[in-house]
Structure formats: C-alpha cells, structure tokens
Amino acid sequence: MKHITIRILLSALLILILLPLTGCWSKKEIEDLGLIVGTSLDLEKQGGPQEESAGQAGGHFNRDRITITNQFVTSETTGKGTKTGSSPQKAYNNVSETGDAILPTLRNMVLRIDKRAFAEHSKVIIIGEDLARTLDLQKILDFFIREQEMRPSGLLLIAQNRASKTLESKKPMDIPAFRLVEMTHGHGRTTKILPPTTLTKIEGKLHSGASFLLQNVVSSSNGEIKFSGAAVIEGKTKKLRGFLNEKEIEGLTWITGKGKGGLVKSVDKETGQPVIYEILSMKSNIKPHVDGNDISFNIEIESEGRIAEHWVVSEKTIETEFLKRVEKAIEEEVERLVKNVLDKIQHEYKTDVAGFGNQLRIKYPHKWKTAKKDWDQIFSEVPIQYEVKITIKDYGTSDE
C-alpha cells in the first residue's frame, strides 16, 4: 500500500513537471508576422479622392482625412540589404492607407499586406505638423492608448511638415523607426533634446489639462532626420501651438533643471575668444510667491561643470581671476537663454510648458484652484525673476 502511494505521488509530480513543457499554445510564428516598428500619421486636406466610409456602404465623409503609414519589418526584409541587380533592397517596408478614423484605416491596410500586422514591437509614433494643428492629440491617440497590443513604452514625436518622411531612409540597412529611438539616447549629452515622452506619459499629460512639450523631428531633402527643437502643445485645445528652436529648448532645460549634461558656449569678454563649459550637474528651484491676487516667481539655477575647451591662449586655466571671469560669462549666457525662452512661451505662445503652474499648485493649492482654469493666460502676465550660479569644478589636465 505504501509503494502504491509513492507511485501515485511520483506520477502526480511528473505530470506537474511536464505541464510547463507543453509549449506555448498562443504562439505566433515570426515568419507569418509583419512586425510594426513605427507609425506615422499625416493630415490629408479636403479635395483628394474620397473613399467609402466604414459602416456606410457607398457613403463619403466630406472632411479632412488621415494617412497612416506603418513601417514593417518581416523575415524577408531583415534578410535584405544586399544588392539584387543594380539597387540594394531596404530593410523595412512602409505601407500607407488613408481614411477618416484610425482603426478602420488600419484594417483596410490588411488588404494590402500578406502577413499579420503585429504591433507589440512598435517603437515610435510620429504625428505630422498639420494633423497636430488641426485635431487634438486626445482624439488622434485614443486608439493607440486603448489598444492592448500597442507597447506603452512607445516613443511619441511631432514631425515638422510631413511625418511619413521621417520613416524613410536612403541607407539600405537602416530602419528609421529604430534610429529615431536611438537618437533619444543623446538626451544625457545635450540640453537640446527633451526627455523621451512615451504613450504611458502622454495619457497623464493629456488628462491634466496643462500645456506640455513633445520632441520635434525634421527630415531633410536628402533623407536625413534630425531632432530640432520641440512642439508646444496647448493644454486647453490639446493642439500644436507652435515650435521652440534648439536654443529655446536649452533655455527651458535650465529653467526645469532636468538636463543631465551638455555644453554652453560663451565668449571671454577681454579677448573675444570662445570658452566652452561642459555641464556636470544642474538643478533649478522654481519658487512661487502669492501676495493677495498677485502671483510671481523666482527661479534659482545652479550648475557645476568644467572648462572643456577655451581659445584664450594668453591665460592659464587654473588662475582664479580667469575662472571667475569665465563663470560670469557662462552665467550671462544661461540668463540670455532663459530670458529668450520665457519671452517666447509667456508673450508669444502664452503657454506654461515649464511647470510653473505645478509649483504654484504644490505651494499654494488654494490659489491654484482659482487660477488653474485660466492658468496659461495668467502665466503670460506674471513677473518672473531668475538668478544663475555657475561653479567651475574642473578644468582638465591642462596647466595643472
């Protein structure tokens, strides 16, 4: 009887061990999949050829439509890149479809591809300038946020002009969607690139009602793509308000204190020669002040860094007088960057994309309750003072 019990226990144990080895019953053969690695969305103006609308046989929508371009990587494209005949084959395949809503347009794309579209490896979504100005991002991104197959860590970008051009490359082995993601890794080395914004982060930004920034990408006529400034998204309308250039992004990074590295180029006043300051650390403290109905802000900016390069050959880097002179020149350059971007976001765009309202909410919650409804307008009129403190901690091995 004892042996029978042991055999039963061993049999049950064996069955339990074998269960995890039965394989994946929901497997998807990679040869049968078209992996979507990037998606672009562009506005098509009225006047183009109209298509039948989904759910209305023979019906036509008399409104602007959206062109969606999916970048596919398949088992065939990844094996390409070698020359067949006179021209090399691309390592990706772009498929475009136009419609008046996201999901029906994507489903129509099935009629043009021979593999199952699979979006769990999607890396980036790029929205064209015209579309972002016309429709609010909440509507544009609703499907992508709801779709369970979409990866929430996918990067979100705004393209100046046409978004589909950023998914093109003249290099045979290049996959543009992958390259866009890799370009964000430079955030820690420059103040000209924003921290990456993903689908997970964008949902909170859209629901907050506050204005915010998205990284801008431009494509040149020779097929090169570049991060260049940022898109200003207005909180109330959730539409594109305008763009900040690279210098203005630098100023905004100093205001927020979110930079991890970068350079500041200034000029030595006595010699007129350039001096390059490399940022080792930065921090910023935005202090709100409330006096009755009056709101104001003070910004305290501090940074430690090193002299990475200077052309003042008549001076020794280790001399205290020279270091103080350089620190003052760097402080003045940072103040100029801050002033320029504050003028742009306060007086031209009238949108708080630097987090001033959030600091007011934290320090003065009761005041924020009355101000948040018209905050962007209030922000455009509040006085803002700033102070910059630069400390040079290192000057390399030269002159030691």
Side-chain angles (χ1 to χ4, degrees), residues 246-265:
E246 293 177 17
K247 283 293 184 182
E248 289 160 348
I249 287 298
E250 285 187 86
L252 197 71
T253 302
W254 282 102
I255 292 174
T256 61
K258 293 181 179 179
K260 296 182 179 180
L263 304 174
V264 178
K265 180 182 177 181

Side-chain angles (χ1 to χ4, degrees), residues 46-47 50 60-64:
Q46 293 182 21
Q50 297 292 316
H60 300 272
F61 280 98
N62 185 24
R63 67 179 187 185
D64 296 334

Side-chain angles (χ1 to χ4, degrees), residues 257-277:
K258 293 181 179 179
K260 296 182 179 180
L263 304 174
V264 178
K265 180 182 177 181
S266 66
V267 175
D268 178 49
K269 287 188 175 181
E270 290 193 10
T271 62
Q273 296 298 319
V275 179
I276 311 301
Y277 171 79

Side-chain angles (χ1 to χ4, degrees), residues 199-259:
L199 278 176
T200 302
K201 293 179 181 179
I202 196 66
E203 188 173 9
K205 291 178 182 291
L206 291 172
H207 286 297
S208 71
S211 300
F212 59 93
L213 296 177
L214 287 175
Q215 181 64 54
N216 179 45
V217 59
V218 297
S219 57
S220 62
S221 57
N222 62 0
E224 291 296 323
I225 55 176
K226 177 188 177 183
F227 284 168
S228 179
V232 178
I233 308 299
E234 191 175 11
K236 275 189 175 181
T237 64
K238 299 179 177 62
K239 295 179 181 179
L240 176 64
R241 181 72 174 83
F243 293 97
L244 300 180
N245 62 33
E246 293 177 17
K247 283 293 184 182
E248 289 160 348
I249 287 298
E250 285 187 86
L252 197 71
T253 302
W254 282 102
I255 292 174
T256 61
K258 293 181 179 179

Side-chain angles (χ1 to χ4, degrees), residues 103-114:
L103 183 56
T105 305
L106 289 172
R107 290 292 169 84
N108 286 340
M109 201 175 288
V110 175
L111 305 175
R112 302 177 55 193
I113 58 177
D114 59 352

Side-chain angles (χ1 to χ4, degrees), residues 26-70:
S26 60
K27 68 178 180 179
K28 299 179 180 68
E29 296 292 344
I30 192 168
E31 291 83 2
D32 300 329
L33 298 177
L35 302 180
I36 299 173
V37 294
T39 301
S40 70
L41 300 101
D42 288 296
L43 183 72
E44 297 297 338
K45 294 293 185 181
Q46 293 182 21
Q50 297 292 316
E51 297 177 346
E52 289 189 0
S53 60
Q56 292 184 356
H60 300 272
F61 280 98
N62 185 24
R63 67 179 187 185
D64 296 334
R65 298 179 299 147
I66 300 173
T67 292
I68 304 174
T69 301
N70 276 336

Side-chain angles (χ1 to χ4, degrees), residues 141-333:
L141 296 172
D142 181 76
F143 164 76
F144 297 99
I145 294 173
R146 292 175 184 273
E147 175 57 42
Q148 295 181 355
E149 196 175 270
M150 290 297 300
R151 179 173 290 189
S153 60
L155 182 67
L156 188 64
L157 302 172
I158 299 292
Q160 209 154 349
N161 300 320
R162 195 138 181 107
S164 59
K165 290 184 177 180
T166 64
L167 292 178
E168 294 287 348
S169 175
K170 294 183 178 180
K171 299 176 181 178
M173 296 301 293
D174 193 20
I175 300 177
F178 290 170
R179 181 151 57 101
L180 285 168
V181 175
E182 290 168 0
M183 286 166 61
T184 63
H185 299 163
H187 165 61
R189 302 281 292 175
T190 179
T191 53
K192 298 179 181 180
I193 298 178
L194 294 177
T197 300
T198 62
L199 278 176
T200 302
K201 293 179 181 179
I202 196 66
E203 188 173 9
K205 291 178 182 291
L206 291 172
H207 286 297
S208 71
S211 300
F212 59 93
L213 296 177
L214 287 175
Q215 181 64 54
N216 179 45
V217 59
V218 297
S219 57
S220 62
S221 57
N222 62 0
E224 291 296 323
I225 55 176
K226 177 188 177 183
F227 284 168
S228 179
V232 178
I233 308 299
E234 191 175 11
K236 275 189 175 181
T237 64
K238 299 179 177 62
K239 295 179 181 179
L240 176 64
R241 181 72 174 83
F243 293 97
L244 300 180
N245 62 33
E246 293 177 17
K247 283 293 184 182
E248 289 160 348
I249 287 298
E250 285 187 86
L252 197 71
T253 302
W254 282 102
I255 292 174
T256 61
K258 293 181 179 179
K260 296 182 179 180
L263 304 174
V264 178
K265 180 182 177 181
S266 66
V267 175
D268 178 49
K269 287 188 175 181
E270 290 193 10
T271 62
Q273 296 298 319
V275 179
I276 311 301
Y277 171 79
E278 183 175 7
I279 303 164
L280 299 179
S281 68
M282 72 161 62
K283 61 180 179 179
S284 172
N285 187 14
I286 299 176
K287 294 183 177 180
H289 302 283
V290 174
D291 184 9
N293 292 324
D294 297 329
I295 301 172
S296 62
F297 291 91
N298 284 340
I299 312 172
E300 296 177 355
I301 299 171
E302 296 182 10
S303 173
E304 292 184 353
R306 60 188 291 269
I307 295 179
E309 178 184 358
H310 80 82
W311 291 39
V312 190
V313 294
S314 61
E315 297 281 1
K316 286 190 174 183
T317 312
I318 59 175
E319 295 293 336
T320 302
E321 181 181 346
F322 176 69
L323 291 177
K324 294 297 182 184
R325 202 165 76 213
V326 171
E327 287 175 345
K328 181 64 176 176
I330 300 297
E331 288 171 356
E332 290 177 355
E333 175 61 18

